[in-house]
Amino acid sequence: MQVQLETLSGLERRMSIALPLAAIDAQVAERLKRVARTAKIQGFRPGKAPAKIVEANYGAQVREEVLGEQVQQSFYKAAVEQKLRVAGYPRFEPAQGDAESFKFAAAFEVYPEITIGELAGKDIEKPNTEVTDAEIDKTVDILRKQRTRFNRVEREAADGDRVIIDFKGTIDGVAFEGGSSENFPFMLGQGQMLPEFEAGVIGAKEGETKTVAVNFPADYHGKDVAGKTASFEITVKNVAAAELPEVNEEFAKLLGIADGDVAKMRAEIRKNVEREVKRRLSAQVKENVMQALIDVTPIDLPKALVELEVGRLMDQARKDLEQRGMQLKDMPLPADLFTQQAERRVALGLILAEAVEANKLEAKPEQVKALVEEFAESYEQPQDVIDWYYAEAGRLEGPTSMVLEDNVVEFVLGRANVIQKDVSFETLMGNNA
C-alpha cells in the first residue's frame, strides 16, 4: 500500500492511496469460491456451476464489495500509521489507476490541536443566594396559590376573581376568527386579556351582559386584527372568589407530610428549595466557566463535526415540535438556525476533552456514586433509583459526564479570578418565585 498525505488548508487533509491489484484480484477470486458453494444459478445445482458462470453472475458485485472494504480498511490503517485523528467521515474519491494498482483519494478533516488558554487573569462571576425563612414563606405562598379554591359569589367581579364568560367579537359588524368563545374562564388582574376587555368585565355580576370596545395594539400577534377596534358582547356566567388554603395540618398532609406536622412540612420545603437553588447556582457557574474557556481558547472547528451537531439539533427540534402537535412537512427548519449553537457545543466538547485529559480530571467512581445518590434524594424510594442507575453501565454515562464537567469547573475556578456576586432569590428563580 502506497500512501501520500497532503494538507489542503487548516484542518483539511487529502490522502491518496494505491493498492496492489494483484492482492485485490486474489481476494475477489477467494470470495467467488465461497459464493460458488451456495450460489443458485439456473441450470446448475448449488455448488456445481462452473467458475466462469459464477464470475459472470456475481463477479461485479463481489468486486465492488471487496473494493469497498479495502478502501475503508486501508484508509483507517493509513490514518493510524500517520497518527491522524480523523474528525467526522472521510469523503472517498476514485483516482486514475494503472495496470498494477487501484488508486483512490480520501478528503477529510482532523481534530485540532488544543491548548487551554491562560485563566489566571480571567474574571469569572460566581453567584450566591441565601435561602432564609422569607424564601420558605414565599414558596409556601406559591404552593398555597397552586391549591386555590374558587367559590361562587353573587357580587360584582373584582381583581383576583375567576370569571367564566361568553363573548362575541366583531369588527365593523363582522365576526372575526378567534373573536368568540363560550364558557371561557380567566383570572381578572393577571393580564390574561387586553386591559379594555378586562375593564369591561370588572364590576359586572353573574348573568349581566355588557358591550365593550377594545383597541388591538398595532403589534398584536393576530395580524388580522392588529391595530383595529373590535366590539365585544360579553355575558358573565360565573364569578368566583379565590380562597387560599390555611397553612395547617390539612395543608401539610396535602403536601405529603403523613402526620400533618407543619414544621416537618417547612423543613421538607426548605430541603427542596435549597436543592433547587444549588442546582441553579451550579448551572450559572458552569455556564460562566464554559464561556471563559471558550474566550481564552481559540480553536479551529472541524466543519464535519459542526454539520453532524447541526443535524442532531435539527432532529431534536423536529421531534420536540412534533410532540407538541405541529406538522413540519411544509415547514422546513433552516440549518442556519442551529449553526451557532452547534459550533459552541462542538468547541466546548473539544475543549473539555482536552482539559480532562491534560489535567487528569477523570470522573472517579465515588464522585459518580455521590451524584447518583443526590439525584435519588428527591424520590420516595431513593435506593430504587440508585439500583436502577447501577443495573446497566450505560445508565451511568449521564452522571459521569456531569461529574467530568464539575471537575473542569472546579479546575477553572481554582485558577481564574473568581468574583463572588450575591443574587436575590427572586432573580435566581425567575418566574417561579
Side-chain angles (χ1 to χ4, degrees):
M1 181 173 69
Q2 297 178 359
V3 179
Q4 182 180 357
L5 179 66
E6 57 182 317
T7 298
L8 300 180
S9 62
L11 304 176
E12 297 179 353
R13 304 288 185 271
R14 181 183 180 86
M15 185 184 292
S16 299
I17 298 178
L19 302 175
L21 274 177
I24 293 174
D25 292 340
Q27 285 194 40
V28 171
E30 181 61 30
R31 187 166 299 188
L32 281 172
K33 288 180 182 179
R34 295 200 300 269
V35 170
R37 296 169 191 163
T38 56
K40 295 180 180 180
I41 299 176
Q42 188 174 2
F44 299 93
R45 288 180 298 173
K48 299 299 182 181
K52 289 185 178 181
I53 300 295
V54 173
E55 183 176 1
N57 281 271
Y58 295 97
Q61 177 185 337
V62 168
R63 190 171 191 82
E64 184 176 347
E65 291 174 356
V66 169
L67 285 174
E69 292 172 3
Q70 285 298 303
V71 165
Q72 295 279 345
Q73 293 173 8
S74 58
F75 169 76
Y76 287 106
K77 180 181 178 182
V80 171
E81 292 176 350
Q82 298 279 341
K83 297 181 180 179
L84 297 172
R85 297 174 62 220
V86 179
Y89 301 104
R91 186 179 68 255
F92 296 110
E93 305 166 350
Q96 187 65 43
D98 53 43
E100 296 182 354
S101 62
F102 168 75
K103 296 181 179 180
F104 70 93
F108 58 96
E109 292 176 286
V110 295
Y111 281 90
E113 295 294 328
I114 301 174
T115 301
I116 304 297
E118 182 57 54
L119 292 162
K122 186 67 177 175
D123 291 343
I124 298 180
E125 198 172 87
K126 186 177 182 182
N128 300 300
T129 298
E130 184 181 1
V131 178
T132 67
D133 287 342
E135 281 69 56
I136 304 307
D137 291 340
K138 292 174 185 176
T139 305
V140 170
D141 286 341
I142 291 172
L143 293 170
R144 292 176 68 204
K145 290 176 182 177
Q146 291 173 349
R147 290 157 179 80
T148 299
R149 294 177 181 175
F150 292 94
N151 302 315
R152 178 177 171 271
V153 293
E154 296 183 359
R155 60 168 171 75
E156 296 177 345
D159 275 350
D161 289 343
R162 185 203 66 193
V163 294
I164 299 176
I165 63 173
D166 292 345
F167 63 88
K168 297 178 182 178
T170 59
I171 295 178
D172 297 330
V174 180
F176 57 93
E177 185 177 355
S180 299
S181 183
E182 294 182 352
N183 298 318
F184 181 80
F186 74 98
M187 291 280 292
L188 288 168
Q190 302 295 313
Q192 294 174 261
M193 308 295 283
L194 290 172
E196 292 162 316
F197 190 99
E198 286 204 13
V201 178
I202 290 176
K205 292 183 178 181
E206 181 179 310
E208 188 175 346
T209 298
K210 299 177 69 175
T211 299
V212 178
V214 175
N215 297 305
F216 286 98
D219 59 353
Y220 192 72
H221 58 81
K223 295 181 179 179
D224 293 339
V225 299
K228 298 180 181 179
T229 299
S231 177
F232 284 95
E233 182 182 272
I234 304 171
T235 299
V236 178
K237 302 181 74 174
N238 179 271
V239 178
E243 180 185 359
L244 273 62
E246 295 293 328
V247 180
N248 53 22
E249 180 179 336
E250 182 182 352
F251 182 68
K253 287 180 178 180
L254 281 175
L255 296 182
I257 306 302
D259 61 3
D261 188 319
V262 173
K264 287 183 181 178
M265 177 198 74
R266 288 181 63 88
E268 188 65 24
I269 290 173
R270 176 180 289 275
K271 184 178 178 181
N272 292 334
V273 169
E274 288 177 343
R275 182 188 298 117
E276 180 62 14
V277 165
K278 178 183 177 183
R279 185 189 68 80
R280 294 192 181 210
L281 289 174
S282 176
Q284 286 194 13
V285 172
K286 184 178 294 185
E287 175 64 21
N288 294 343
V289 165
M290 297 307 163
Q291 188 58 52
L293 284 170
I294 289 177
D295 291 343
V296 302
T297 311
I299 180 175
D300 290 332
L301 299 178
K303 297 175 185 177
L305 297 186
V306 174
E307 290 172 359
L308 286 172
E309 188 61 30
V310 166
R312 278 193 285 268
L313 291 172
M314 289 177 67
D315 287 343
Q316 180 181 334
R318 187 175 288 107
K319 290 177 182 176
D320 290 344
L321 292 172
E322 288 175 350
Q323 287 176 354
R324 297 177 188 178
M326 297 184 67
Q327 300 296 324
L328 301 179
K329 295 180 181 178
D330 302 321
M331 190 175 70
L333 295 174
D336 291 349
L337 292 177
F338 305 92
T339 301
Q340 186 174 357
Q341 183 183 1
E343 289 176 345
R344 191 174 193 275
R345 288 168 68 106
V346 170
L348 279 175
L350 296 174
I351 292 171
L352 289 176
E354 175 61 25
V356 169
E357 182 177 355
N359 300 284
K360 296 180 172 53
L361 303 176
E362 291 79 7
K364 296 180 175 61
E366 58 270 24
Q367 290 180 298
V368 176
K369 184 179 180 182
L371 185 60
V372 169
E373 290 175 346
E374 185 177 332
F375 288 161
E377 284 181 3
S378 59
Y379 292 85
E380 290 185 8
Q381 301 295 332
Q383 190 58 49
D384 290 348
V385 177
I386 295 170
D387 292 343
W388 181 85
Y389 270 105
Y390 281 90
E392 295 181 17
R395 293 173 181 172
L396 291 174
E397 289 181 1
T400 300
S401 295
M402 294 182 68
V403 169
L404 285 173
E405 291 181 356
D406 290 342
N407 288 348
V408 172
V409 168
E410 290 303 313
F411 170 81
V412 172
L413 293 178
R415 284 156 178 75
N417 180 33
V418 178
I419 301 174
Q420 302 287 344
K421 179 183 179 182
D422 290 335
V423 176
S424 70
F425 180 78
E426 291 80 1
T427 299
L428 181 69
M429 303 303 283
N431 295 330
N432 294 325

